[in-house]
Amino acid sequence: MNDDPFARVREALAAGRAAFAGADDPATLVAAEQAFLGKKGRVPALMDLLKSVPAADKAAFGKEVNILKAELTALYAARKAELGARVAAPAAPEVDLTLPGRRPEHGSLHPLTQTARDIVRVMNTLGFEETDGPQVEDEFHNFVALNIPADHPARDEADNFYLDDKRLLRSQTSTIQVRTLMARKPPLRVTAVGRVYRPDTVDATHHYMFHQVEGLAVDEGLTMADLKATLLSFVRALYQEDVEIRLRPSFFPFTEPSAEIDVLFPGRGWVEIGGCGMVDPAVFHACGVDPERWSGFAFGCGVERLAMRRFAVPDIRRFTENDARFLKRLA
């Protein structure tokens, strides 16, 4: 080893430059840093040598060692950054330009969303304005104002999702009828599509969460004939088929008279899609509407039931299984 301390500084500088320049991976770079700048490296050893340097040379020697340390530290930092960038940005793979192109995947609306939007569009052409209401309801809007008494089976805890003593998840979109009648003055024509909740056993035709479309018209002199004409125009426009409908007598607490709605699809027979009727005067009274002046009709249909017929889907559960292959087929 050279006994000249200044020569040892020059040797360390040359060796350090070569070591850091030749470090091609993080492990080699760390080893070079330890060999020159670590506690037992060559630079600290030269600092320890300062005490044996003649007094006349101490200042010059100390300056040379500090320059050495600064340059090697800078070389280490620069090489570390270069290696980091190389790891962060690996070389791009080769592209085979002879391969055929890949078609991008295109998303689409869920079949229930498609059906709901088409329902609103058709009802708009019939003069009905879209509206909405909360999914968490109180007993007044869900039962009392709809002429459903306290002892009615529809209010049983086994048939509803009660959140507490007074609130529940709405079991029907007829609640929107009540809120609309209480907030607006007749005449009016509104429609709403929304989720409803009932603790049904899930099978091919039932679910605990499904969607309904609600239609309400209030004006002077409306009759069942207006209701049937509206329903016929609605289903023909929605299905784009020359279908027929029939109204079978039924009972709902909030309409009088009431009827079930059946649609005759060519080659498939009669299919029930919902219920309807003239708004019961008791509902008008509860909402502050004069039944002596105004009359109205309402109807409600299951969106899933309409979509099942529209897309030829035999099982309601398919709509909520998130099977991408099934959804793509209906896109």
Side-chain angles (χ1 to χ4, degrees):
M1 181 178 293
N2 199 324
D3 291 334
D4 180 0
F6 290 94
R8 292 177 64 177
V9 172
R10 292 192 293 271
E11 290 172 357
L13 178 59
R17 287 172 174 172
F20 288 123
D24 289 330
D25 57 76
T28 305
L29 181 62
V30 170
E33 190 268 341
Q34 290 297 314
F36 288 89
L37 300 171
K39 290 183 178 181
K40 297 182 179 181
R42 294 179 68 170
V43 172
L46 289 171
M47 296 290 261
D48 292 339
L49 187 62
L50 182 64
K51 57 189 175 185
S52 62
V53 174
D57 296 330
K58 283 184 182 293
F61 181 74
K63 182 179 180 180
E64 291 294 322
V65 173
N66 286 331
I67 292 174
L68 168 67
K69 181 178 180 181
E71 181 170 341
L72 294 185
T73 300
L75 289 173
Y76 166 70
R79 193 59 177 165
K80 182 179 180 182
E82 291 176 4
L83 292 177
R86 187 185 304 173
V87 172
E94 294 184 2
V95 177
D96 187 348
L97 299 179
T98 65
L99 290 175
R102 296 178 181 177
R103 291 184 177 273
E105 293 286 340
H106 293 286
S108 61
L109 294 176
H110 191 281
L112 292 181
T113 303
Q114 295 180 46
T115 302
R117 290 190 176 184
D118 286 341
I119 287 171
V120 172
R121 175 183 55 80
V122 169
M123 294 303 294
N124 284 345
T125 64
L126 297 175
F128 285 73
E129 176 188 351
E130 184 181 8
T131 187
D132 198 5
Q135 297 182 46
V136 176
E137 275 290 8
D138 53 49
E139 289 189 320
F140 174 80
H141 292 90
N142 203 86
F143 298 122
V144 177
L146 290 170
N147 199 34
I148 301 176
D151 58 351
H152 196 283
R155 298 179 67 161
D156 195 281
E157 291 186 0
D159 293 325
N160 296 279
F161 286 110
Y162 281 95
L163 304 179
D164 52 37
D165 292 340
K166 297 296 181 181
R167 298 183 306 155
L168 70 159
L169 296 178
R170 69 182 178 198
S171 59
Q172 53 199 346
T173 51
S174 299
T175 58
I176 300 175
Q177 288 186 37
V178 176
R179 291 187 173 274
T180 301
L181 289 172
M182 296 182 70
R184 299 172 55 177
K185 295 181 179 180
L188 55 84
R189 283 175 169 78
V190 295
T191 187
V193 178
R195 291 191 180 113
V196 295
Y197 306 86
R198 298 175 188 174
D200 291 338
T201 301
V202 177
D203 57 27
T205 57
H206 297 84
H207 210 288
Y208 56 81
M209 187 280 292
F210 55 101
H211 300 74
Q212 282 186 338
V213 51
E214 189 79 16
L216 170 68
V218 179
D219 206 332
E220 295 179 338
L222 291 180
T223 67
M224 287 289 287
D226 299 301
L227 169 60
K228 185 173 183 180
T230 300
L231 290 171
L232 182 60
S233 298
F234 166 66
V235 294
R236 284 183 175 178
L238 181 66
Y239 288 106
Q240 296 293 297
E241 292 185 66
D242 191 21
V243 297
E244 296 295 334
I245 68 168
R246 70 181 180 189
L247 303 182
R248 288 183 292 109
S250 185
F251 170 77
F252 303 110
F254 36 84
T255 53
E256 178 59 37
S258 304
E260 301 285 357
I261 310 166
D262 295 337
V263 179
L264 178 60
F265 293 95
R268 286 175 285 174
W270 291 100
V271 177
E272 179 187 331
I273 64 168
C276 66
M278 302 301 294
V279 179
D280 193 292
V283 176
F284 279 149
H285 280 301
C287 298
V289 177
D290 182 5
E292 296 297 327
R293 177 182 177 185
W294 305 102
S295 61
F297 63 76
F299 65 88
C301 301
V303 175
E304 279 82 354
R305 188 170 296 182
L306 295 173
M308 289 170 72
R309 292 296 168 182
R310 192 181 192 197
F311 295 104
V313 176
D315 194 323
I316 193 175
R317 291 169 290 193
R318 298 303 305 277
F319 291 123
T320 55
E321 288 175 343
N322 294 328
D323 185 337
R325 296 166 300 178
F326 165 76
L327 297 175
K328 183 180 292 185
R329 180 170 62 84
L330 302 184

